[in-house]
């Protein structure tokens, strides 16, 4: 049997007391040498593990922020999201990976995480750069059994989940720029890209991938691509603190599990609308709707249960704006 580093790290992380080498051997059916090798690997990766003869091993402290399969797996407390996990130190795009895994039949809840993305995808065909040690870039593979026209709401469920998880971990307030940009101090900390694949008959969803890129530990605005630099920021820039991305991923996925369950009860956002709107920065604000059929301005009144932004136009007409089609800007800037 292969000694799983993730299992040993999880056991050490969840134990307040020392765990003897014998306990680890018995638990995983491996030799003392195999346990010793894993402990040494973990130490080399930056985990401070105390070994006391006669007592065993104790995890004193882990690296402040490090992404690896075992770091993520040892922190996940979710029921189904991320139970099947793919971690890449570097990949093209986690959304592209998740779609491939979707084709290969991987289960609902599979998560792909990468430290570096070399061909990350943004909305509207833009690229999304991810430098090592900075962002939490992940994609969740879902296999919903509802009709395709409900799928656009999944992004709003994820947006709320990220906003709430970031608040929990930083203690700082977040806002949502409809439909799914997460904002701190009027600058963007997270973008999302949801892609849906239909069955060959084109009548059912085969799978949906929801990708999110959260700027976590970027130290300065210079680290962002030039075109997004004026409106981008990171949790570290805004709060002055470094965060553990694996811990943040766990919080996001836990929130998503709860919020997705609420969404499934009604197959709309009625159960989440209030909390979503409490974060909605466009609420009561003048917006410019960049509709391919013609731009217009109006006052955003909130979202309806389908996640559409209700915009009251100058002539008094209330127009529901569908997230898939258009983009919305503040009248005097990004939000
Ligand atoms: C946007 O333009 O605001 C959306 C950005 C989405 C980026 C994330 S990073 C993880 C996932 N993989 C991708 O290639 N894109 C999304």
């Amino acid at each position: 049997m292969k000694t799983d580093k993730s299992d040993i790290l999880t056991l050490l992380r969840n134990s307040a007391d020392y765990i003897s080498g014998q306990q680890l051997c018995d638990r995983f059916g491996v030799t003392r040498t195999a346990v010793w090798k894993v402990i040494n690997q973990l130490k080399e990766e930056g985990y401070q593990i105390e070994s006391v003869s006669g007592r065993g091993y104790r995890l004193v402290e882990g690296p402040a922020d490090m992404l690896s399969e075992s770091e993520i797996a040892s922190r996940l407390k979710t029921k189904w999201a991320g139970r099947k996990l793919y971690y890449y130190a570097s990949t093209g795009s986690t959304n592209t990976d998740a779609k491939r895994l979707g084709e290969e039949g991987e289960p609902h809840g599979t998560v792909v995480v990468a430290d570096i993305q070399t061909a990350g995808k943004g909305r509207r065909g833009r690229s999304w750069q991810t430098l090592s040690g900075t962002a939490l870039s992940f994609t969740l593979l879902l296999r919903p059994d509802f009709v395709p026209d409900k799928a656009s709401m999944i992004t709003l469920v994820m947006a709320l989940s990220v906003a709430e998880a970031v608040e929990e971990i930083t203690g700082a307030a977040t806002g949502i720029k409809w439909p799914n940009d997460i904002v701190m101090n009027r600058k963007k900390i997270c973008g999302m890209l949801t892609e849906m694949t239909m069955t060959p008959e084109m009548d059912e969803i085969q799978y949906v991938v929801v990708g999110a890129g959260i700027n976590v530990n970027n130290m300065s605005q210079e680290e962002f691509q030039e075109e997004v630099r004026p409106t981008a920021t990171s949790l570290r820039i805004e709060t002055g603190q470094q965060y553990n991305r694996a811990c943040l991923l766990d919080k996001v996925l836990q929130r998503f599990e709860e919020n997705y369950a609420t969404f499934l009860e009604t197959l709309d956002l009625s159960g989440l609308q209030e909390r979503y709107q409490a974060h909605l920065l466009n609420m009561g604000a003048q917006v410019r709707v960049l509709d391919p059929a013609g731009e217009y301005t109006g006052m955003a009144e909130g979202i309806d249960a389908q996640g559409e932004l209700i915009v009251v136009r100058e002539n008094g007409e209330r127009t529901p704006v569908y997230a898939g089609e258009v983009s919305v800007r503040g009248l005097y800037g990004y939000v």
Side-chain angles (χ1 to χ4, degrees):
M1 186 185 141
K2 176 176 156 278
T3 313
D4 197 337
K5 201 159 61 168
S6 302
D7 291 337
I8 293 188
L9 184 58
T10 307
L11 206 66
L12 288 173
R13 196 184 289 291
N14 296 332
S15 161
D17 204 356
Y18 290 85
I19 302 183
S20 73
Q22 194 56 50
Q23 273 174 294
L24 290 169
C25 295
D26 295 346
R27 175 80 182 252
F28 301 111
V30 293
T31 61
R32 285 261 184 174
T33 318
V35 167
W36 181 81
K37 270 190 187 157
V38 170
I39 297 284
N40 273 351
Q41 275 175 23
L42 288 168
K43 282 183 179 169
E44 270 163 31
E45 286 170 18
Y47 293 90
Q48 221 182 302
I49 298 170
E50 197 181 31
S51 15
V52 175
S53 72
R55 296 190 76 182
Y57 302 104
R58 189 174 71 92
L59 177 66
V60 181
E61 211 179 8
D65 173 47
M66 193 196 52
L67 276 184
S68 70
E69 193 179 332
S70 21
E71 172 71 8
I72 298 167
S74 71
R75 286 190 180 269
L76 278 189
K77 291 178 206 74
T78 52
K79 295 190 194 80
W80 54 267
R83 291 286 128 213
K84 188 83 192 263
L85 180 73
Y86 286 84
Y87 171 73
Y88 301 111
S90 175
T91 192
S93 149
T94 55
N95 267 33
T96 306
D97 292 329
K99 287 201 281 185
R100 175 179 42 80
L101 295 166
E103 293 298 325
E104 289 170 9
E106 286 294 37
H108 177 79
T110 299
V111 168
V112 184
V113 188
D115 183 34
I116 301 172
Q117 284 187 121
T118 53
K121 297 187 292 184
R123 299 216 306 157
R124 280 166 241 293
R126 287 184 290 241
S127 72
W128 182 273
Q129 186 176 309
T130 315
L131 303 173
S132 177
T134 60
L136 172 60
S137 310
F138 73 94
T139 303
L140 172 63
L141 170 70
L142 299 171
R143 296 193 181 276
D145 58 7
F146 46 74
V147 293
D149 62 0
K150 306 270 178 203
S152 65
M153 286 185 266
I154 298 174
T155 324
L156 281 80
V157 177
M158 183 58 91
L160 178 62
S161 308
V162 170
E164 292 181 334
V166 167
E167 282 181 350
E168 189 184 336
I169 211 162
T170 63
T174 60
I176 300 175
K177 175 183 171 287
W178 182 87
N180 51 30
D181 281 1
I182 311 302
V183 173
M184 205 177 251
N185 300 328
R186 304 192 79 76
K187 288 198 170 138
K188 179 162 165 174
I189 53 160
C190 170
M192 281 168 210
L193 180 67
T194 299
E195 300 178 81
M196 174 167 69
T197 299
M198 307 279 282
T199 52
E201 300 74 35
M202 295 300 275
D203 54 351
E204 280 175 27
I205 300 176
Q206 193 179 338
Y207 56 84
V208 172
V209 301
V210 196
I214 311 177
N215 302 328
V216 181
N217 289 327
N218 313 68
M219 308 260 273
S220 87
Q221 231 129 354
E222 301 307 305
E223 292 175 22
F224 300 112
Q225 284 162 267
E226 215 173 312
E227 56 275 27
V228 299
R229 204 169 285 161
T231 53
T233 193
S234 74
L235 304 187
R236 186 165 188 170
I237 295 171
E238 294 309 311
T239 66
Q241 282 190 47
Q242 188 185 14
Y243 297 94
N244 183 294
R245 286 170 290 162
C247 182
L248 176 59
L249 177 69
D250 172 50
K251 299 271 185 262
V252 171
L253 295 178
Q254 283 195 57
R255 290 284 179 158
F256 185 83
E257 283 187 345
E258 287 164 26
N259 292 335
Y260 192 63
T262 306
F263 163 69
L264 289 181
E265 280 168 23
T266 52
L267 280 184
D268 66 21
L269 298 172
S270 47
L272 301 172
Q273 206 169 346
E274 212 177 293
R275 272 158 48 215
Y276 182 94
Q277 285 187 160
H279 287 90
L280 186 61
L281 296 168
N282 314 95
M283 193 88 175
Q286 290 292 321
V287 291
R288 184 188 311 282
V289 181
L290 309 178
D291 190 328
E295 274 186 38
Y296 56 89
T297 55
M299 202 265 291
E301 228 185 33
I303 57 160
D304 60 17
Q306 311 310 312
E308 295 165 318
L309 186 72
I310 305 299
V311 176
V312 185
R313 296 166 81 149
E314 261 120 57
N315 60 9
E317 193 187 316
R318 293 174 82 246
T319 312
V321 183
Y322 178 66
E325 293 161 0
V326 297
S327 173
V328 162
R329 295 271 175 282
L331 227 45
Y332 305 105
Y334 161 66
V335 182

